[in-house]
Amino acid sequence: MPCTTKIADINFKPKGIILSGSPYSVYDSVSPHADPAIYELGVPILGICYGLQEIAWTHKGTVAKCDHREYGFAQVKINKGSNDSTNALFEGLGDEMQVWMSHGDQLSSLPPSFHIVAHTSTAPFAAIAHDTKPIYGIQFHPEVTHSPRGREVIARFVLAICGCRADWTMEGFIGKEIKRIREICGPRGRVIGAVSGGVDSTVAAKLMHEAIGDRFHAIMVDNGVLRLNEAAQVKTMLTKDLGVNLTVVDASDLFLGRLAGVEDPEQKRKIIGNTFIHVFEAEAAKIEAIAEEEEKTGTEKKGKIEWLLQGTLYPDVIESISFKGPSATIKTHHNVGGLLKDMKLKLIEPLRELFKDEVRALGRLLTIPAPLVQRHPFPGPGLAIRILGVVTREQVAILQHADSIYIEEIRNAGLYDQISQAFAVLLPVRAVGVMGDCRTYEQVIALRAVQSEDFMTADWYVFPAEVLRRISSRITNEVAGINRVTYDISSKPPATVEWL
C-alpha cells in the first residue's frame, strides 16, 4: 500500500508494518509521510532506508544529507550490549554482515527513546530501535539480492517479531492463480497472449494454457528490433517444447516506420507499446472473424476475445509507477506504462506480484524445459532501447550481429547460466581506429553482463580476461562498422541494468 494510506481507511489490523525506501528526503516539503496513526496501532514497525529516516524524523530525530552518497556494499557491525528488543531483529545473525546501501541522506542524531543497534564505518546509525516499543529502523536494504543475509533480517521481523506464518508456497500460488484466471475469464472468455519467448511471457502463457486451454491464443509480434533470428527460434521453441498454438505476426515495417528519427528512449517505449497494442487488436479481430465463420457451421458458441495476457513482473510495476515518492518512475516499461489509454482489450497479468527468481521457480514447477526457464531477459522494446540514438534497419543489423557473437561466446565459455542478463549496446558515438594500416572512424559497442536474482539490484559480472578478449576480437573483426568494444562495470544502483 502507498505509505500515505490512512489507517482509518483499511478494514483490518496488520500484523506489522514495513516502511520501504524512497528517493525523497524526509525534510523536503513534497516528501511523502506515513499516517502517524501507525505508531498507535501497537504493532511492530520496521523502517528501511527512507523508512528509518521517516521513523526518526517523526520522533524528533535529525536527518541530513550525507557528506557523500552511499551506493554499494557495506559491512554492518552489530553493537555490543544491545537490549532484548534490539536482539529480536538480529538474533542469531552474528556480530556483522555484508549489506547493500543506497542513500544520500542519513541520521545525524537519534530521536528520544531510541538507541543505536548497528553501525558501519560511514553510517553511525545503520540500525536503530525504540527502547520499549517494537519499532526498528535500518539504513541498508535487506530486500535486495546483494544483502546476502537480508532475507534473514526480514524473516526475523516478519516471523519472530510480528508472529506471521510462512505458509505461502509457489505450488499454492499456481492453484490460486489458475482459479482466479478462470473466474476472471468465465466459462467462455478468450485471451490472446503477448508471447516473446522470454521466461516471463513463456511462463505466463503456460499458466494461461493450464487455466483455460485452447481459449488462449498465443501471438508473437516481430517488431523489427528482435535479436538475430529471434522470431524463428522462438516459434520453434514454443511450438516444439510447449505445444503452444502460436501465431507470429511480422510487423517490422510498421514499427520501424514509426520509430524513424526518434531518439528519446521514453518516446521509443511509448511508440512500441502503442503499436504493440494496435497489432494485437488487429490480430484479435482476425481470430474473432475466423471464430464467427466456424460458428456458422458448428454447434459450439465461442466467447469473445476480451483479454490481453502480459508477463508483467513486480519490478516492472515498481520502476514504472510512482505515487508521490514510494518509488521513482525510473523508466516506463512498455507493459505497464506505454499502453493506450483507450485500449479495447483488458489486461490480465498473472505474474504481476512475482520477482524474476520466483517466475523461474514457477516455470520449473510447470515443467517448462530448463533452456527456456533460464533464458536471459529481453525487454519488450527490444533492441530499440539498446540502440542509443535513431533506430534504422542498418543499426539494428549491426547490433544483432554483435549481440549474437557476444551470447555465442558466453555459451561457448560455459558462462551463460552464471550470468543473469547479458547484452550488447550500440552507442551513438564514433571512435578513431586503425584497421589494415588505414584510419577508421566507426561506431562503438558496449557490453553489459550482470548477476542478480530479483533485478532490483545487480552487480556486473567479472569475466575471465581471455573471454572478453575473444569477444572483442570477434566483434571488431566480424561486425562491419564497429572498431571499438567497451565493457560496462556499473552496478545497479546507481545505474540500471539496461542503458535506456
Side-chain angles (χ1 to χ4, degrees), residues 4-47:
T4 49
T5 299
K6 299 296 181 185
I7 293 299
D9 294 337
I10 63 176
N11 58 4
F12 66 95
K13 183 179 179 179
K15 298 278 284 186
I17 293 171
I18 296 178
L19 301 176
S20 69
S22 169
Y24 284 82
S25 296
V26 291
Y27 45 78
D28 288 341
S29 59
V30 296
S31 298
H33 295 286
D35 183 355
I38 66 172
Y39 302 107
E40 307 303 321
L41 282 174
V43 302
I45 299 172
L46 173 64

Side-chain angles (χ1 to χ4, degrees), residues 191-492:
V191 180
I192 57 174
V195 176
S196 67
V199 62
D200 304 337
S201 65
T202 299
V203 171
K206 176 68 171 176
L207 191 62
M208 187 62 61
H209 180 74
E210 293 287 322
I212 63 172
D214 61 5
R215 288 188 285 134
F216 168 62
H217 304 265
I219 300 170
M220 179 182 182
V221 175
D222 183 352
N223 56 17
V225 285
L226 301 177
R227 289 171 289 199
L228 190 65
N229 302 321
E230 181 93 356
Q233 291 172 0
V234 169
K235 184 173 183 179
T236 299
M237 282 193 300
L238 292 182
T239 55
K240 179 181 178 181
D241 295 330
L242 299 182
V244 173
N245 181 17
L246 177 67
T247 299
V248 178
V249 181
D250 185 357
S252 55
D253 288 340
L254 178 63
F255 278 87
L256 290 172
R258 293 183 178 182
L259 287 169
V262 177
E263 294 190 35
D264 180 72
E266 281 298 286
Q267 192 177 353
K268 286 180 183 178
R269 290 177 184 274
K270 285 183 168 58
I271 287 172
I272 290 173
N274 291 348
T275 306
F276 170 81
I277 294 300
H278 283 143
V279 172
F280 258 78
E281 288 186 334
E283 197 61 32
K286 292 178 185 177
I287 295 173
E288 202 78 58
I290 293 172
E292 288 176 2
E293 286 297 318
E294 291 174 347
E295 286 174 13
K296 293 177 182 179
T297 57
T299 56
E300 182 182 357
K301 183 74 174 176
K302 293 187 177 181
K304 284 191 172 185
I305 295 176
E306 302 178 71
W307 300 91
L308 171 63
L309 170 70
Q310 290 205 120
T312 307
L313 303 190
Y314 197 51
D316 299 338
V317 177
I318 293 171
E319 290 190 346
S320 296
I321 300 174
S322 176
F323 188 82
K324 289 293 289 181
S327 72
T329 303
I330 296 170
K331 57 189 175 185
T332 300
H333 288 260
H334 83 290
N335 49 355
V336 285
L339 302 179
L340 296 174
K341 292 181 180 179
D342 60 348
M343 184 176 71
K344 298 182 179 67
L345 297 171
K346 293 173 284 187
L347 286 181
I348 184 166
E349 301 169 310
L351 312 180
R352 190 179 176 89
E353 295 183 355
L354 301 182
F355 287 89
K356 179 69 71 174
D357 56 321
E358 294 175 311
V359 174
R360 295 192 195 281
L362 175 58
R364 287 188 284 270
L365 286 174
L366 292 171
T367 66
I368 295 175
L372 280 175
V373 172
Q374 293 303 124
R375 201 160 188 249
H376 290 183
F378 186 64
L383 300 181
I385 60 168
R386 294 177 179 174
I387 296 172
L388 277 60
V390 174
V391 179
T392 65
R393 285 193 180 276
E394 292 73 24
Q395 293 290 80
V396 170
I398 289 172
L399 185 53
Q400 283 178 330
H401 194 179
D403 189 78
S404 176
I405 291 171
Y406 185 28
I407 300 302
E408 180 184 330
E409 287 298 329
I410 289 174
R411 288 189 181 279
N412 289 344
L415 303 176
Y416 187 84
D417 289 342
Q418 298 178 26
I419 299 169
S420 303
Q421 188 172 3
F423 57 90
V425 179
L426 183 57
L427 304 185
V429 296
R430 293 182 181 274
V432 173
V434 57
M435 292 181 175
D437 295 331
C438 294
R439 179 185 184 276
T440 62
Y441 189 54
E442 295 181 332
Q443 292 182 271
V444 179
I445 285 287
L447 304 177
R448 182 80 158 136
V450 299
Q451 289 179 306
S452 178
E453 285 187 21
D454 53 23
F455 283 87
M456 295 305 295
T457 61
D459 205 7
W460 59 281
Y461 181 76
V462 182
F463 275 109
E466 62 271 15
V467 175
L468 279 179
R469 184 178 293 110
R470 188 161 55 248
I471 293 168
S472 176
S473 177
R474 283 198 60 192
I475 289 175
T476 52
N477 278 282
E478 298 176 31
V479 182
I482 300 296
N483 69 357
R484 191 178 296 264
V485 175
T486 66
Y487 185 53
D488 180 355
I489 58 169
S490 307
S491 63
K492 175 186 179 179

Side-chain angles (χ1 to χ4, degrees), residues 173-183 207 210-212 366:
F173 169 81
I174 292 174
K176 289 178 181 178
E177 191 60 27
I178 286 175
K179 180 181 178 183
R180 188 183 75 89
I181 291 169
R182 287 172 179 168
E183 289 173 351
L207 191 62
E210 293 287 322
I212 63 172
L366 292 171

